[in-house]
Amino acid sequence: MEKLKHIQGSIVSIPVNDIDTDQIIPARFLKVTDKDGLGKAAFCDWRYQEDGETPNPDFVLNKPEYQGASVLIAGNNFGCGSSREHAPWALLGAGFKAVISTEFADIFRNNSLKNGLLPIVVDAETQQQLFSLAEEDPSTTVSVNVEAQTLTLPDGREVGFPLDGFSKYCLLNGVDQLGYLLALDDAVQSFEADNPQRVATKA
Amino acid sequence: MTNNGRPRTLFEKVWDAHIVREQSDDSPAVLYIDLHLVHEVTSPQAFSMLRERGLQVRRPDQTIGTMDHSTPTTPRNELGIIPVADAMAAKQLDTFTKNCSDYGIPMYALGDEHQGIVHVIGPEKGLTQPGMTIVCGDSHTSTHGAFGALAFGIGTSEVGHVLATQTLLQNKPRTMAVNVDGRLGEGVTAKDIILAIISRIGIGGGTGHVFEYRGEAIRGLSMEGRMTVCNMSIEGGARAGMVAPDDTTFEYIRGRRHAPSGADWDAAIASWRALPSDDGAVFDKEITLRADELIPMITYGTNPGMGMPIDSAVPTPENETDFNKKIALDKALAYMDLRPGQKLLGKAIDVVFIGSCTNSRISDLRQAAEFIQGRKVADSVRMMVVPGSQQVKKQAESEGLDLIFREAGAEWREAGCSMCIAMNGDQLQPGQYAVSTSNRNFEGRQGKGGRTFLASPLTAAASAVAGAVTDPRVMLAGLS
């Protein structure tokens, strides 16, 4: 995972509540055994016409003025549904570095943080302001300071957002969480010594 | 059982018993995992990570694999093999076989007599037991909470963490008591309970929480009914849903392949009896429903929270005061091609799907078969019945349920996730309407452009016969 300290980028909005992971990446793209090439399948059924290839000109991600956007502003409860980590992989593949919403589904948030995609929770007022900004001026950019946990809007207003200390450390240093768990092997062995195995799958 | 005298919930007891390292300001808790279920779709990248880093699977003896998501449910050939026509699916299944073999993980392959949907086989084999922590790279892992286990879905990175360390980093969730008082009426089932709960709290209503389902109606459910309820906890935003273990739980587990036996059984029962929430235990939230006020439920929209009693009318966006909700409803009705105020009763349908980790167990199939016996699936309807596991299929066939379905004009298929996730070729055509016993009615979930009405197996069977959305109570009462 690459270090993620700052994000500076233009915004694009999909002001729809409850965008589920089946919309972010439909299940038929989950037959892969790696993480490559999922970006082109992001929002596939909204992004392409019936043939699955021709871009739907009405969908915001296909509009020329929003090309290159790296911060997605979404409706409430983004990423609900399936646990597929292909959802953040697809969003990263499509060039996004952060998603802003009022609420994220638990598993999506966890998966995103493990891949360097930053889920930013803001209040409804800020969300609406960003929706309006994105619609009125596609060149609108925002900046994010991960260390300070702040999102800076075009008018200079700084908005704080929650980020647990552990995830922040991993993002800032570009390390994944597995190293931390592997280093706890003594504690795990001690736990196993104190607690008999509950079920054996090989029995 | 109390901790320093403080009454604890079922969730807290299971959580506390699995702490390897306490949560602190700097890091989440490290939780020990008793059972890890793996399948072909969300594991390949995790195994690749193990290879890249030269890691082993720490506890293959606490891990089990099965093939379910991308597997065909079409009939076996003359050699008894289920052919896989899709090259990508075939590669994914081969990769899974190699990964499980290389790392010593027991696995039920396509066509094996014990293969099936991961959330059907765990309980079926007696692997799922009270008080355990259970994870799987699948959001419907919440199913196993029906046994009083703490069970939740994880992403592929976390699958890698559990494979390598048998632990997970977790921030402690909050708790929500979901009380379902009173008794269910005739023709009203576990599926209707959970659809009613989700339509009440909304699809994000349980985010950050673990549910504990309580009350007379929950106590009165079979284990399979409780699994149906817990299965859809995630559709209310909760990663896990739990039911306190009781004699119904113990009777279900007794004698199963991986269940404790002899003196171990007695010791297990004693520890399981200590799991239910203590009197006076505090939940962060609480809601209550009356089971006797419920009637069969159906969804009309594009998420499981958009549900209603089956005799109701589709809501009107103009009546919605919340602007975002109005937009969502407009969008959903456009996708579903439904009018505000329209009744769904009598709405013609194209497909009925009975299956999925929500409703593919033997009691689901018995219920649907009993209803369909002596009746015919409407000519205009394709009805698919997909048992949750090879063992469910075998049991159903020994009872003659397959014949009942076939004689009525339904398709009797091999076991798997099938049209719930539509990865394997079992899917709706654009524009088709389905009454489905699965768990998600998202846009395109059952096939691009397909439109899903979620309902119980009874409602699905009644709708198959009528060729339209139908209240099963009408037919049960012989009024039709």
Side-chain angles (χ1 to χ4, degrees), chain B residues 26-90:
Chain B
D26 297 327
S27 59
V30 176
L31 209 59
Y32 190 79
I33 302 302
D34 292 315
L35 177 65
H36 187 194
L37 309 156
V38 288
H39 64 84
E40 75 277 14
V41 172
T42 57
S43 67
Q45 298 86 353
F47 283 108
S48 297
M49 182 276 295
L50 293 185
R51 282 201 179 84
E52 281 161 23
R53 297 170 71 148
L55 298 167
Q56 291 300 311
V57 173
R58 193 173 192 287
R59 296 303 298 262
D61 61 334
Q62 290 176 209
T63 311
I64 193 147
T66 187
M67 295 177 176
D68 54 4
H69 282 67
S70 60
T71 52
T73 60
T74 41
R76 290 167 190 255
N77 64 19
E78 61 279 6
L79 300 172
I81 292 167
I82 304 167
V84 184
D86 179 334
M88 280 188 83

Coordinates of all heavy atoms in Angstrom, one line a residue, chain B residues 26-90:
Chain B
D26 N -5.0 3.6 20.6 CA -4.1 3.5 19.4 C -4.4 2.4 18.4 O -4.0 2.4 17.3 CB -2.6 3.2 19.9 CG -2.1 4.3 20.7 OD1 -2.5 5.5 20.4 OD2 -1.3 4.1 21.6
S27 N -5.2 1.4 18.9 CA -5.4 0.2 18.0 C -6.7 -0.4 18.4 O -7.1 -0.5 19.5 CB -4.3 -0.8 18.1 OG -4.1 -1.2 19.4
P28 N -7.4 -1.0 17.4 CA -8.6 -1.8 17.6 C -8.3 -3.1 18.4 O -7.1 -3.4 18.6 CB -9.1 -2.2 16.2 CG -8.3 -1.4 15.3 CD -7.0 -1.0 16.0
A29 N -9.3 -3.7 18.9 CA -9.1 -5.0 19.6 C -8.6 -6.0 18.6 O -8.8 -5.9 17.4 CB -10.4 -5.5 20.2
V30 N -7.8 -7.0 19.1 CA -7.4 -8.1 18.3 C -8.2 -9.3 18.8 O -8.2 -9.7 19.9 CB -5.9 -8.5 18.4 CG1 -5.5 -9.7 17.6 CG2 -5.1 -7.3 17.9
L31 N -9.0 -9.9 17.8 CA -10.0 -10.9 18.2 C -9.6 -12.2 17.6 O -9.2 -12.3 16.4 CB -11.3 -10.4 17.5 CG -12.7 -10.8 18.1 CD1 -12.8 -10.3 19.5 CD2 -13.8 -10.3 17.2
Y32 N -9.7 -13.3 18.4 CA -9.3 -14.6 17.9 C -10.5 -15.2 17.2 O -11.7 -15.0 17.6 CB -9.0 -15.5 19.1 CG -8.4 -16.8 18.6 CD1 -7.1 -16.9 18.2 CD2 -9.2 -18.0 18.6 CE1 -6.5 -18.1 17.8 CE2 -8.6 -19.2 18.1 CZ -7.3 -19.3 17.7 OH -6.8 -20.4 17.3
I33 N -10.3 -15.9 16.1 CA -11.3 -16.4 15.2 C -11.3 -18.0 15.4 O -10.3 -18.6 15.1 CB -11.1 -16.0 13.8 CG1 -11.1 -14.5 13.6 CG2 -12.2 -16.6 12.9 CD1 -12.3 -13.8 14.2
D34 N -12.5 -18.5 15.8 CA -12.6 -20.0 16.0 C -12.8 -20.7 14.6 O -12.3 -21.9 14.5 CB -13.8 -20.3 16.9 CG -13.6 -19.8 18.3 OD1 -12.5 -20.0 18.8 OD2 -14.5 -19.2 18.8
L35 N -13.5 -20.1 13.7 CA -13.8 -20.8 12.5 C -13.8 -19.9 11.3 O -14.5 -18.8 11.3 CB -15.2 -21.5 12.6 CG -15.8 -22.2 11.3 CD1 -14.9 -23.4 11.0 CD2 -17.2 -22.6 11.5
H36 N -13.1 -20.2 10.3 CA -13.0 -19.4 9.1 C -13.5 -20.2 7.9 O -13.0 -21.3 7.6 CB -11.5 -19.0 8.9 CG -11.3 -18.0 7.8 ND1 -10.0 -17.8 7.2 CD2 -12.1 -17.3 7.1 CE1 -10.1 -16.9 6.3 NE2 -11.4 -16.6 6.2
L37 N -14.5 -19.7 7.3 CA -15.1 -20.3 6.1 C -14.6 -19.6 4.9 O -14.6 -18.4 4.8 CB -16.6 -20.2 6.2 CG -17.3 -20.7 7.5 CD1 -18.7 -20.0 7.7 CD2 -17.5 -22.2 7.5
V38 N -14.1 -20.3 3.9 CA -13.6 -19.7 2.7 C -14.3 -20.3 1.4 O -14.7 -21.4 1.4 CB -12.1 -19.9 2.5 CG1 -11.3 -19.0 3.5 CG2 -11.7 -21.3 2.6
H39 N -14.5 -19.4 0.4 CA -15.0 -19.8 -0.9 C -14.2 -19.2 -2.0 O -13.3 -18.4 -1.8 CB -16.5 -19.5 -0.9 CG -16.8 -18.1 -0.9 ND1 -16.8 -17.3 -2.1 CD2 -17.1 -17.2 0.1 CE1 -17.1 -16.0 -1.7 NE2 -17.3 -16.0 -0.4
E40 N -14.6 -19.6 -3.2 CA -13.7 -19.4 -4.4 C -13.7 -17.9 -4.8 O -12.7 -17.5 -5.4 CB -14.2 -20.2 -5.6 CG -15.5 -19.8 -6.3 CD -16.8 -20.2 -5.6 OE1 -16.7 -20.7 -4.5 OE2 -17.8 -20.1 -6.3
V41 N -14.7 -17.1 -4.4 CA -14.8 -15.7 -5.0 C -13.9 -14.7 -4.3 O -13.3 -13.9 -4.9 CB -16.2 -15.3 -5.2 CG1 -16.3 -13.8 -5.6 CG2 -16.9 -16.2 -6.2
T42 N -14.0 -14.8 -2.9 CA -13.3 -13.7 -2.2 C -12.0 -14.1 -1.6 O -11.4 -13.4 -0.7 CB -14.2 -13.2 -1.0 OG1 -14.6 -14.3 -0.2 CG2 -15.5 -12.5 -1.6
S43 N -11.4 -15.3 -2.0 CA -10.2 -15.8 -1.4 C -9.0 -15.7 -2.3 O -7.8 -15.7 -1.7 CB -10.4 -17.2 -0.8 OG -10.6 -18.1 -1.9
P44 N -9.1 -15.8 -3.6 CA -7.8 -15.9 -4.4 C -6.8 -14.9 -4.1 O -5.6 -15.2 -4.0 CB -8.3 -15.9 -5.9 CG -9.8 -15.6 -5.9 CD -10.3 -15.7 -4.5
Q45 N -7.2 -13.6 -4.0 CA -6.2 -12.6 -3.8 C -5.6 -12.7 -2.4 O -4.4 -12.3 -2.2 CB -6.9 -11.2 -4.0 CG -7.4 -10.9 -5.4 CD -8.9 -11.5 -5.6 OE1 -9.4 -12.2 -4.7 NE2 -9.5 -11.2 -6.7
A46 N -6.3 -13.3 -1.5 CA -5.7 -13.5 -0.1 C -4.7 -14.6 -0.2 O -3.6 -14.4 0.5 CB -6.8 -13.8 0.9
F47 N -4.9 -15.6 -0.9 CA -3.9 -16.7 -1.0 C -2.7 -16.2 -1.8 O -1.5 -16.5 -1.5 CB -4.5 -17.9 -1.7 CG -5.4 -18.8 -0.8 CD1 -6.7 -18.8 -1.0 CD2 -4.8 -19.5 0.2 CE1 -7.6 -19.6 -0.2 CE2 -5.6 -20.3 1.0 CZ -7.0 -20.3 0.8
S48 N -2.9 -15.3 -2.8 CA -1.8 -14.7 -3.5 C -0.9 -13.9 -2.6 O 0.3 -14.0 -2.7 CB -2.3 -13.8 -4.6 OG -3.0 -14.5 -5.6
M49 N -1.5 -13.2 -1.7 CA -0.8 -12.4 -0.7 C 0.1 -13.3 0.2 O 1.2 -13.0 0.5 CB -1.8 -11.6 0.1 CG -1.2 -10.6 1.1 SD -0.8 -11.4 2.7 CE -2.4 -11.9 3.3
L50 N -0.5 -14.4 0.6 CA 0.3 -15.4 1.5 C 1.5 -15.8 0.7 O 2.6 -15.9 1.2 CB -0.6 -16.6 1.8 CG -1.8 -16.5 2.7 CD1 -2.3 -17.9 3.1 CD2 -1.4 -15.8 4.0
R51 N 1.3 -16.2 -0.6 CA 2.4 -16.7 -1.4 C 3.5 -15.6 -1.5 O 4.7 -15.9 -1.4 CB 2.0 -17.1 -2.8 CG 1.3 -18.4 -2.8 CD 1.2 -19.1 -4.1 NE 0.6 -20.4 -4.0 CZ -0.7 -20.5 -4.0 NH1 -1.5 -19.5 -4.2 NH2 -1.3 -21.7 -3.8
E52 N 3.1 -14.3 -1.9 CA 4.0 -13.2 -2.0 C 4.9 -13.0 -0.8 O 6.0 -12.7 -0.9 CB 3.3 -11.9 -2.4 CG 2.8 -11.8 -3.8 CD 1.7 -10.8 -3.9 OE1 1.6 -9.9 -3.1 OE2 0.9 -10.9 -4.9
R53 N 4.2 -13.2 0.4 CA 5.0 -12.9 1.6 C 5.5 -14.2 2.3 O 6.0 -14.1 3.4 CB 4.0 -12.2 2.6 CG 3.6 -10.8 1.9 CD 2.5 -10.1 2.7 NE 3.0 -9.6 3.9 CZ 2.5 -8.5 4.5 NH1 1.5 -7.8 3.8 NH2 2.8 -8.0 5.6
G54 N 5.4 -15.3 1.6 CA 5.9 -16.5 2.2 C 5.3 -17.0 3.5 O 5.9 -17.5 4.4
L55 N 4.0 -16.7 3.6 CA 3.3 -17.1 4.9 C 2.5 -18.4 4.7 O 2.1 -18.8 3.6 CB 2.3 -15.9 5.2 CG 2.9 -14.6 5.5 CD1 1.8 -13.5 5.6 CD2 3.7 -14.6 6.9
Q56 N 2.2 -19.0 5.8 CA 1.4 -20.2 5.9 C 0.0 -19.9 6.4 O -0.2 -18.9 7.0 CB 2.1 -21.3 6.8 CG 3.4 -21.8 6.2 CD 3.2 -22.5 4.8 OE1 2.3 -23.3 4.7 NE2 4.0 -22.1 3.9
V57 N -0.9 -20.8 6.2 CA -2.2 -20.7 6.9 C -2.0 -21.2 8.3 O -1.6 -22.4 8.5 CB -3.3 -21.6 6.2 CG1 -4.6 -21.6 7.0 CG2 -3.5 -21.0 4.8
R58 N -2.2 -20.4 9.3 CA -1.9 -20.7 10.6 C -2.7 -21.9 11.2 O -2.2 -22.8 11.8 CB -2.1 -19.5 11.5 CG -1.5 -19.6 12.9 CD -1.6 -18.3 13.7 NE -0.8 -18.4 14.9 CZ -1.1 -19.1 15.9 NH1 -2.2 -19.8 15.9 NH2 -0.3 -19.2 16.9
R59 N -4.0 -21.9 10.9 CA -4.8 -23.0 11.5 C -5.7 -23.5 10.4 O -7.0 -23.3 10.4 CB -5.7 -22.5 12.6 CG -4.9 -22.0 13.9 CD -4.0 -23.1 14.5 NE -4.7 -24.2 14.9 CZ -5.1 -24.5 16.2 NH1 -4.8 -23.6 17.1 NH2 -5.7 -25.6 16.5
P60 N -5.2 -24.3 9.5 CA -6.0 -25.0 8.5 C -7.1 -25.9 9.1 O -8.1 -26.1 8.5 CB -5.0 -25.8 7.6 CG -3.8 -25.8 8.4 CD -3.7 -24.6 9.3
D61 N -6.8 -26.3 10.3 CA -7.8 -27.2 11.0 C -8.9 -26.4 11.6 O -9.8 -26.9 12.2 CB -7.1 -28.0 12.1 CG -6.4 -27.1 13.2 OD1 -6.0 -25.9 12.9 OD2 -6.2 -27.6 14.3
Q62 N -8.9 -25.0 11.5 CA -10.0 -24.2 11.9 C -10.6 -23.4 10.7 O -11.3 -22.4 10.8 CB -9.6 -23.2 13.0 CG -9.4 -23.9 14.3 CD -8.9 -23.1 15.4 OE1 -8.2 -23.5 16.3 NE2 -9.2 -21.8 15.4
T63 N -10.2 -24.0 9.5 CA -10.6 -23.3 8.2 C -11.3 -24.4 7.4 O -10.9 -25.6 7.4 CB -9.4 -22.8 7.5 OG1 -8.6 -22.1 8.4 CG2 -9.8 -21.9 6.3
I64 N -12.4 -24.0 6.7 CA -13.0 -24.9 5.8 C -13.4 -24.2 4.5 O -13.9 -23.1 4.5 CB -14.2 -25.7 6.4 CG1 -14.6 -26.9 5.6 CG2 -15.4 -24.7 6.7 CD1 -15.1 -28.0 6.4
G65 N -13.3 -24.9 3.4 CA -13.7 -24.3 2.1 C -14.8 -25.0 1.4 O -15.0 -26.2 1.6
T66 N -15.6 -24.3 0.6 CA -16.6 -24.9 -0.2 C -16.7 -24.0 -1.4 O -16.4 -22.8 -1.4 CB -17.9 -25.0 0.5 OG1 -18.9 -25.7 -0.3 CG2 -18.5 -23.6 0.8
M67 N -17.2 -24.6 -2.5 CA -17.5 -23.9 -3.7 C -19.0 -23.6 -3.8 O -19.8 -24.5 -3.6 CB -17.1 -24.7 -5.0 CG -15.6 -25.0 -5.0 SD -15.2 -26.1 -6.4 CE -13.4 -26.1 -6.4
D68 N -19.3 -22.3 -4.0 CA -20.7 -22.0 -4.1 C -21.1 -20.9 -5.0 O -22.1 -21.0 -5.8 CB -21.3 -21.7 -2.6 CG -20.5 -20.6 -1.9 OD1 -19.6 -20.0 -2.5 OD2 -20.8 -20.4 -0.7
H69 N -20.4 -19.8 -5.0 CA -20.8 -18.6 -5.8 C -20.8 -18.7 -7.3 O -21.8 -18.3 -7.9 CB -20.0 -17.4 -5.4 CG -20.3 -16.8 -4.0 ND1 -20.1 -17.5 -2.8 CD2 -20.8 -15.6 -3.7 CE1 -20.5 -16.7 -1.8 NE2 -20.9 -15.5 -2.3
S70 N -19.7 -19.2 -7.8 CA -19.6 -19.2 -9.3 C -19.9 -20.5 -9.9 O -19.6 -20.8 -11.1 CB -18.2 -18.6 -9.7 OG -17.2 -19.4 -9.2
T71 N -20.4 -21.4 -9.1 CA -20.6 -22.8 -9.5 C -22.0 -22.9 -10.3 O -23.0 -22.4 -9.9 CB -20.7 -23.8 -8.4 OG1 -21.6 -23.3 -7.4 CG2 -19.4 -23.9 -7.7
P72 N -22.0 -23.7 -11.4 CA -23.2 -23.9 -12.1 C -24.2 -24.8 -11.3 O -23.7 -25.6 -10.4 CB -22.8 -24.7 -13.4 CG -21.4 -25.0 -13.2 CD -20.8 -24.4 -12.0
T73 N -25.5 -24.7 -11.5 CA -26.4 -25.5 -10.8 C -27.2 -26.4 -11.8 O -28.2 -26.9 -11.6 CB -27.5 -24.7 -10.0 OG1 -28.2 -23.8 -10.9 CG2 -26.8 -23.8 -9.0
T74 N -26.6 -26.5 -13.0 CA -27.2 -27.3 -14.1 C -26.9 -28.8 -13.8 O -26.0 -29.1 -13.0 CB -26.5 -26.9 -15.4 OG1 -25.1 -26.7 -15.2 CG2 -27.1 -25.6 -16.0
P75 N -27.7 -29.7 -14.5 CA -27.6 -31.1 -14.1 C -26.2 -31.7 -14.4 O -25.4 -31.2 -15.2 CB -28.6 -31.7 -15.1 CG -29.5 -30.6 -15.5 CD -28.7 -29.4 -15.5
R76 N -26.0 -32.8 -13.7 CA -24.7 -33.6 -13.9 C -24.7 -34.3 -15.2 O -25.8 -34.6 -15.7 CB -24.6 -34.6 -12.8 CG -24.3 -34.0 -11.4 CD -24.5 -35.0 -10.3 NE -24.5 -34.3 -9.0 CZ -23.5 -34.3 -8.1 NH1 -22.4 -35.0 -8.4 NH2 -23.5 -33.6 -7.0
N77 N -23.6 -34.5 -15.8 CA -23.5 -35.3 -17.0 C -23.5 -36.8 -16.7 O -23.7 -37.2 -15.6 CB -22.3 -34.9 -17.9 CG -21.0 -35.2 -17.2 OD1 -20.9 -36.0 -16.3 ND2 -19.9 -34.5 -17.6
E78 N -23.3 -37.6 -17.8 CA -23.4 -39.1 -17.6 C -22.3 -39.6 -16.7 O -22.5 -40.7 -16.1 CB -23.5 -39.8 -18.9 CG -22.2 -39.6 -19.8 CD -22.2 -38.3 -20.6 OE1 -23.1 -37.4 -20.4 OE2 -21.3 -38.1 -21.4
L79 N -21.3 -38.8 -16.5 CA -20.2 -39.3 -15.6 C -20.5 -38.8 -14.1 O -19.6 -39.0 -13.2 CB -18.9 -38.7 -16.0 CG -18.4 -39.1 -17.4 CD1 -17.2 -38.4 -17.9 CD2 -18.1 -40.6 -17.5
G80 N -21.6 -38.1 -13.9 CA -21.9 -37.6 -12.6 C -21.2 -36.3 -12.3 O -21.2 -35.9 -11.1
I81 N -20.6 -35.6 -13.3 CA -19.9 -34.4 -13.1 C -20.8 -33.2 -13.5 O -21.6 -33.3 -14.4 CB -18.6 -34.4 -13.9 CG1 -17.6 -35.5 -13.4 CG2 -18.0 -33.0 -14.0 CD1 -16.5 -35.8 -14.3
I82 N -20.7 -32.1 -12.8 CA -21.4 -30.9 -13.1 C -20.4 -30.1 -14.0 O -19.4 -29.5 -13.5 CB -21.8 -30.1 -11.9 CG1 -22.6 -31.0 -10.9 CG2 -22.5 -28.8 -12.3 CD1 -22.8 -30.4 -9.5
P83 N -20.7 -30.0 -15.3 CA -19.7 -29.3 -16.2 C -19.7 -27.7 -15.9 O -20.8 -27.2 -15.6 CB -20.2 -29.5 -17.6 CG -21.3 -30.5 -17.4 CD -21.8 -30.4 -16.0
V84 N -18.5 -27.1 -16.0 CA -18.4 -25.7 -15.8 C -18.1 -25.1 -17.2 O -17.0 -25.3 -17.7 CB -17.3 -25.3 -14.8 CG1 -17.2 -23.8 -14.6 CG2 -17.5 -26.1 -13.5
A85 N -19.1 -24.4 -17.8 CA -18.9 -23.9 -19.1 C -18.1 -22.6 -19.2 O -17.5 -22.3 -20.2 CB -20.3 -23.7 -19.8
D86 N -18.2 -21.8 -18.1 CA -17.6 -20.5 -18.1 C -16.1 -20.6 -17.8 O -15.8 -21.1 -16.7 CB -18.4 -19.7 -17.0 CG -17.8 -18.3 -16.9 OD1 -16.7 -18.0 -17.2 OD2 -18.6 -17.4 -16.4
A87 N -15.3 -20.2 -18.7 CA -13.8 -20.4 -18.5 C -13.3 -19.6 -17.3 O -12.4 -20.1 -16.6 CB -13.1 -19.9 -19.8
M88 N -13.8 -18.4 -17.1 CA -13.3 -17.7 -15.9 C -13.7 -18.3 -14.6 O -12.9 -18.4 -13.7 CB -13.9 -16.2 -15.9 CG -13.1 -15.3 -16.9 SD -13.7 -13.6 -16.7 CE -12.7 -13.1 -15.2
A89 N -15.0 -18.8 -14.6 CA -15.4 -19.5 -13.4 C -14.6 -20.8 -13.2 O -14.2 -21.1 -12.0 CB -16.9 -19.9 -13.5
A90 N -14.3 -21.5 -14.3 CA -13.5 -22.7 -14.2 C -12.1 -22.4 -13.6 O -11.6 -23.2 -12.7 CB -13.4 -23.4 -15.5

